[in-house]
Amino acid sequence: EQEQEQEQEQEEEIEIEKYVDVAYSRDDEAPVPWEFARLRDKNFCTQFYPASDFKLYKGKPIVFAPYILVSNNYFNRTWGGDRRIKNVVMTLEWVPKPEEVKQFPPRESKIPDKWMDAFSTAFRMFDQDNSGTMEKSEVEKMIIAATDETPSEKQLSAIMSKFGQKNQLTRQGLLDALQSGDLRPEYHGRYTVALSLAEAETIRRIMHIRLENKLIDGSDVALALRCSEAKNMIFDSSVQFADPSRYQREACWQSLRYLNCDMYFQDPQLNTLVRAMQNTPVRERVVFFMTILGCRRRATYRYKSTPLSKLFRIESEFHMLKNRSQGVRVRESMKALGLLPYDAFRSFNSKQTGQLSPEEVWGALEFLGLKDLTPKDIFGFIEAADKNADGNIDYMEFLDILRDPNAKEGEDQLDDDDTKSGKELKELKVVQPKGAKELKAYQDTELKEEGQHQEREMAEAKMEAARRR
C-alpha cells in the first residue's frame, strides 16, 4: 500500500512537471501606469481589488480578510490563458484617510458546532481544577495559547471585569473575550496591497522625493512599503504612517505568503494563518493552493511534508487552540509531578516499543490528570502530534508536544540531556494503557469513515485543481 502511494505521488509530480512546461502567455502584462494622487481615496483606486476576488482564468477565489488587496499590475483578473504568477515580494501598507480608521466590530460569538466542540475541549484542558470557570491565571494561559501574545496586567484585568463575574470567566465569557477584538484588533480604513516590483520602486521614489512633506497635497494619506522576503520589514514609510495592530499586520503577511505558495511557517505564524483563512473550507484551501502552485516554478515541492500541511488539516483557530491546549496541559502536569520528558515517555510506553499507541496515550493523559476523555479526544490528540501519520507518537513527536511555541530563544532545553534523569527503566513507574476496546471500536467505525471522507475530499481537491489549471 505504501509503495502504491509513493508511485501515485511520483505520477502526480510528473503531471505537475508537465504542467510547468506548458507555454505561458505574457499578453497584456506590460505595467499599466496610474496616477499617484489616487491614493488619497480608496474609491479612486480601481487599480486595486480585494484579494478575495483573486483567481486564475476559470478559477475560483477564496476568502481573504477584507483589508488585503491586490494590484492589477501584480495580477489582472481579466487575463486569459495560462499565466506565470509573480512572487509577492513588496507590499504597500496604505491608509487613505487616517481620521476615518475605525476598529472592526466584535466577531460573532455563535460559532459552528465543530468549532465549539474544539473550543470546549480547549477550555477543559486549561480549567485545571475542573470547576467549569477560569480564574485569572488560567485565563492568561489560554489567551497566550490563542493569540501568541502575553496580555498586560491592565488588559487581563479589563478582560476579567468586562466578560467575567466575581473574577471568574465561564466558557462563554472567554469565547466572547477572544471574539471581541480587544486582544486582536482589526481596523477598517487600513489596507495591505500586493504590488508589482515596478509599482513598489516608483512609490518608493516618490516617497523619497517628498521626504518630510505630505505625500499628496491636501491629503493625510499614510504609506509604508514592506518586503515580505525580509521578514515583512518596512523599507520606507511616510511621516504620517503609524504601525497597525500586531494581529492585522501578521494576518496580512501570512495570508500573502500563502498566496505566494510559501510552505515553511513557524507555529505562531500558522496560528495566525489558520484564523485568517478559517472562513474558507479546508478543501477549497487545498484546491486554491495547488492551482496557484501549478503556475509557479516551485511546483515540484511536496507541501505534505512541510508546516503548511497543517492549514489543510486544521479547520479553525479553535481546533488549533485545542491542539495547543493539550500540549500545555501535558507540559504543566509533567512539571507539577517532577517528570522529565524521557522518563515520562518510557513510563507511558508500557510495551517499550519506542512509540506511544492510542491506549498508551489515553493511560498517560489520565495519569496526568486529564479526566472524562473520549476516543475522539485521544485520536484528536494523536493526529495533532503525529507528523509521520503512523497512528502513534514517537519520542521526537512527544518532545514537540512539550515545546512551548512562545518560549524565548534559549528557554527551550528539550534537546539536551536535561530531558533525562539517568534512572534505569526498572526504577520508573509503569503507567498502564487504557481503553483498547473503546479505541478499536471507534477506529473501526467513525474514524474509518472520517478517514475515507478525507481521502475522497483530497482526491477531489487534486482533480479540481488540475481541472482549473
Side-chain angles (χ1 to χ4, degrees):
E1 185 177 341
Q2 190 172 3
E3 290 178 359
Q4 289 178 348
E5 289 180 0
Q6 290 175 347
E7 288 176 4
Q8 185 177 354
E9 286 185 359
Q10 289 174 356
E11 290 174 3
E12 290 173 359
E13 191 165 324
I14 291 171
E15 287 301 315
I16 291 174
E17 286 289 354
K18 288 179 181 177
Y19 180 70
V20 168
D21 289 337
V22 301
Y24 286 88
S25 172
R26 290 296 186 190
D27 295 341
D28 302 321
E29 287 193 14
V32 177
W34 44 269
E35 187 181 357
F36 184 77
R38 286 189 193 178
L39 292 176
R40 71 183 184 276
D41 193 317
K42 184 175 183 292
N43 294 323
F44 298 157
C45 289
T46 54
Q47 74 274 23
F48 302 151
Y49 61 89
S52 293
D53 292 338
F54 176 93
K55 65 184 182 66
L56 298 183
Y57 178 63
K58 294 184 178 180
K60 182 179 178 182
I62 62 173
V63 179
F64 287 90
Y67 42 75
I68 302 177
L69 309 178
V70 176
S71 167
N72 278 325
N73 282 322
Y74 171 78
F75 188 89
N76 194 319
R77 295 164 295 168
T78 64
W79 288 340
D82 298 313
R83 298 277 174 169
R84 281 279 188 213
I85 299 179
K86 305 179 185 77
N87 290 337
V88 180
V89 179
M90 299 299 298
T91 61
L92 175 68
E93 210 161 306
W94 170 42
V95 188
K97 299 179 179 180
E99 70 279 5
E100 294 183 5
V101 172
K102 60 180 180 179
Q103 188 173 342
F104 275 55
R107 295 192 179 198
E108 180 60 56
S109 288
K110 184 173 175 55
I111 57 178
D113 290 343
K114 285 185 178 180
W115 296 14
M116 181 56 89
D117 287 346
F119 179 74
S120 297
T121 300
F123 187 89
R124 283 195 292 118
M125 293 294 110
F126 283 99
D127 180 20
Q128 294 185 330
D129 57 3
N130 300 312
S131 64
T133 60
M134 282 192 186
E135 59 185 30
K136 200 171 186 179
S137 61
E138 294 170 323
V139 170
E140 181 182 27
K141 290 174 184 176
M142 195 160 179
I143 287 175
I144 293 171
T147 67
D148 292 302
E149 280 196 291
T150 302
S152 66
E153 183 62 31
K154 184 179 179 180
Q155 278 183 309
L156 198 54
S157 296
I159 291 290
M160 299 301 294
S161 174
K162 184 176 179 180
F163 300 100
Q165 290 183 346
K166 297 179 179 179
N167 215 31
Q168 298 280 324
L169 248 62
T170 62
R171 183 186 68 175
Q172 187 60 48
L174 187 52
L175 178 59
D176 291 342
L178 291 176
Q179 295 289 82
S180 68
D182 292 357
L183 295 166
R184 290 172 288 193
E186 301 168 273
Y187 294 92
H188 290 287
R190 295 193 71 107
Y191 307 96
T192 294
V193 190
L195 298 175
S196 69
L197 289 177
E199 286 174 314
E201 183 181 6
T202 303
I203 291 172
R204 192 179 191 192
R205 187 181 302 123
I206 294 172
M207 291 170 72
H208 284 194
I209 291 172
R210 301 295 291 185
L211 292 177
E212 296 184 3
N213 299 318
K214 287 188 175 183
L215 291 173
I216 299 172
D217 292 335
S219 170
D220 291 326
V221 62
L223 302 177
L225 282 169
R226 293 184 183 271
C227 180
S228 180
E229 302 295 322
K231 298 183 179 180
N232 209 34
M233 183 175 70
I234 291 179
F235 272 22
D236 276 295
S237 63
S238 63
V239 175
Q240 300 90 345
F241 181 78
D243 217 21
S245 71
R246 175 189 172 276
Y247 174 76
Q248 185 164 341
R249 181 180 70 245
E250 282 293 305
C252 292
W253 184 28
Q254 305 315 325
S255 296
L256 289 173
R257 288 185 65 206
Y258 165 73
L259 176 63
N260 198 42
C261 295
D262 289 358
M263 302 181 200
Y264 291 90
F265 293 78
Q266 296 175 357
D267 200 71
Q269 294 172 337
L270 269 174
N271 188 37
T272 300
L273 181 59
V274 167
R275 187 173 197 255
M277 304 298 300
Q278 64 188 5
N279 291 321
T280 296
V282 168
R283 180 178 180 275
E284 283 302 312
R285 297 176 208 169
V286 178
V287 173
F288 183 87
F289 178 80
M290 293 181 68
T291 305
I292 302 299
L293 186 61
C295 296
R296 298 190 184 277
R297 296 187 182 276
R298 289 164 279 169
T300 56
Y301 289 173
R302 295 180 181 176
Y303 68 85
K304 291 180 183 178
S305 59
T306 70
L308 181 66
S309 63
K310 283 188 177 182
L311 181 67
F312 306 138
R313 298 198 311 268
I314 299 175
E315 184 175 337
S316 72
E317 62 179 298
F318 303 105
H319 292 82
M320 189 79 168
L321 180 58
K322 172 188 170 182
N323 294 348
R324 287 179 159 197
S325 69
Q326 293 166 334
V328 171
R329 185 66 181 269
V330 169
R331 183 167 64 242
E332 295 202 345
S333 297
M334 283 177 52
K335 184 178 180 180
L337 293 170
L339 285 172
L340 293 175
Y342 185 65
D343 295 337
F345 185 86
R346 289 191 297 164
S347 292
F348 301 154
N349 189 206
S350 59
K351 299 175 185 176
Q352 300 304 312
T353 59
Q355 295 181 318
L356 298 181
S357 64
E359 54 266 32
E360 288 174 329
V361 170
W362 197 339
L365 293 179
E366 189 164 278
F367 174 79
L368 292 172
L370 281 69
K371 306 297 183 184
D372 302 321
L373 296 172
T374 65
K376 183 178 180 180
D377 293 329
I378 301 306
F379 282 111
F381 183 88
I382 292 172
E383 182 184 17
D386 186 17
K387 292 186 176 180
N388 58 9
D390 64 354
N392 301 298
I393 297 178
D394 62 32
Y395 182 60
M396 295 309 297
E397 291 167 343
F398 182 69
L399 285 183
D400 284 339
I401 294 171
L402 302 180
R403 293 185 199 281
D404 182 355
N406 298 300
K408 296 179 181 178
E409 189 174 352
E411 288 183 356
D412 187 355
Q413 300 296 322
L414 293 180
D415 290 327
D416 51 37
D417 291 338
D418 290 340
T419 62
K420 306 175 184 180
S421 67
K423 290 181 180 179
E424 296 290 335
L425 182 60
K426 60 185 179 183
E427 299 178 70
L428 300 173
K429 175 182 174 60
V430 176
V431 176
Q432 294 303 314
K434 178 184 176 178
K437 289 183 180 180
E438 295 95 324
L439 290 164
K440 182 70 166 59
Y442 183 84
Q443 193 171 24
D444 290 343
T445 53
E446 295 185 44
L447 198 63
K448 185 176 181 180
E449 291 176 5
E450 184 180 335
Q452 290 172 343
H453 175 71
Q454 288 178 349
E455 287 178 6
R456 287 195 300 271
E457 286 277 285
M458 290 301 291
E460 290 172 5
K462 291 176 183 177
M463 291 175 63
E464 178 69 10
R467 183 188 68 76
R468 290 182 188 176
R469 289 199 299 263

